[in-house]
Amino acid sequence: MAERSLKSLLAAVARRDRQAFLALYAATSGKLFGIAIRILKRSEMAEDVVQDAYVRVWNGAGDYSPALGSPMSWMATIVRNRAIDLLRKRTESSIDDESGLGELPDDAPDPFALTNQSQELSALLNCMGKIDDGEKRCLMLAYYYGYTHEEIAARTKSPVGTVKSRIRRGLAKVRECLDHG
């Protein structure tokens, strides 16, 4: 979604417009969840952080100023800060509560699953090494960093159509390589 649209949605949210809030959520929740999951590594924790962040957005939309950055970066900062706060709280509480360590379930990964994941990752990296650098960069920006087509276009100084084509071609090449590799 364009930055201007996000700004107008945020302004409407500041006026307590529920429809604008739903539209803002629909437009941004995927990316914000991606940020939370990258930090926390657990989906239930990420969901909690994103929910809390949207409560803060609802309550603080009137405090948003374009001088604070784009609406997306402002909301991403809220999610990032909430996720880091949660990690700190969990670390502090786990240090304080060492008596229950014997009761924790074994979270050790299955060695066979790790071997399979390692082989899949190796195959993926091999295939990524075989595609054009422009396609590889667009794929990484989209799927690893979670950028939108418009954000990738701005970062690569390319038209949005070119970015979409590079992603489509790159995915097709990686898929073909994995199928026949």
Side-chain angles (χ1 to χ4, degrees):
M1 178 169 269
E3 185 177 331
R4 183 181 309 154
S5 297
L6 290 179
K7 284 181 182 177
S8 64
L9 286 174
L10 216 47
V13 170
R15 295 186 305 271
R16 300 296 196 217
D17 181 334
R18 292 179 186 274
Q19 293 302 318
F21 183 75
L22 292 173
L24 181 71
Y25 179 86
T28 60
S29 61
K31 184 168 184 171
L32 295 180
F33 179 77
I35 292 167
I37 197 81
R38 272 194 302 261
I39 295 169
L40 297 167
K41 310 288 190 240
R42 295 184 57 193
S43 62
E44 65 277 0
M45 290 171 61
E47 289 168 2
D48 289 345
V49 162
V50 171
Q51 180 180 354
D52 184 52
Y54 277 106
V55 169
R56 289 176 182 267
V57 167
W58 175 257
N59 292 325
D63 297 333
Y64 169 74
S65 165
L68 298 173
S70 72
M72 194 65 206
S73 65
W74 180 71
M75 291 185 294
T77 300
I78 293 171
V79 169
R80 181 183 169 279
N81 291 344
R82 297 302 304 144
I84 291 170
D85 288 347
L86 182 61
L87 282 178
R88 285 183 184 142
K89 284 181 188 173
R90 290 185 57 85
T91 302
E92 289 169 5
S93 67
S94 66
I95 290 171
D96 293 340
D97 188 28
E98 290 185 20
S99 62
L101 288 179
E103 302 167 15
L104 295 175
D106 181 15
D107 287 339
D110 176 15
F112 295 110
L114 286 177
T115 300
N116 190 34
Q117 285 177 337
S118 177
Q119 290 169 347
E120 290 172 356
L121 179 59
S122 178
L124 176 62
L125 291 174
N126 179 44
C127 291
M128 289 291 287
K130 294 179 180 180
I131 66 173
D132 172 80
D133 285 341
E135 294 167 352
K136 185 185 319 179
R137 182 164 187 225
C138 287
L139 285 174
M140 292 298 292
L141 289 170
Y143 292 99
Y144 185 76
Y145 294 102
Y147 290 117
T148 65
H149 292 142
E150 292 78 13
E151 291 169 328
I152 296 169
R155 286 185 170 274
T156 62
K157 296 178 179 45
S158 304
V160 174
T162 300
V163 168
K164 290 179 180 180
S165 295
R166 286 178 179 162
I167 291 172
R168 193 177 320 104
R169 279 193 315 265
L171 283 174
K173 289 176 183 177
V174 169
R175 189 176 303 121
E176 174 76 19
C177 176
L178 290 173
D179 288 345
H180 298 298

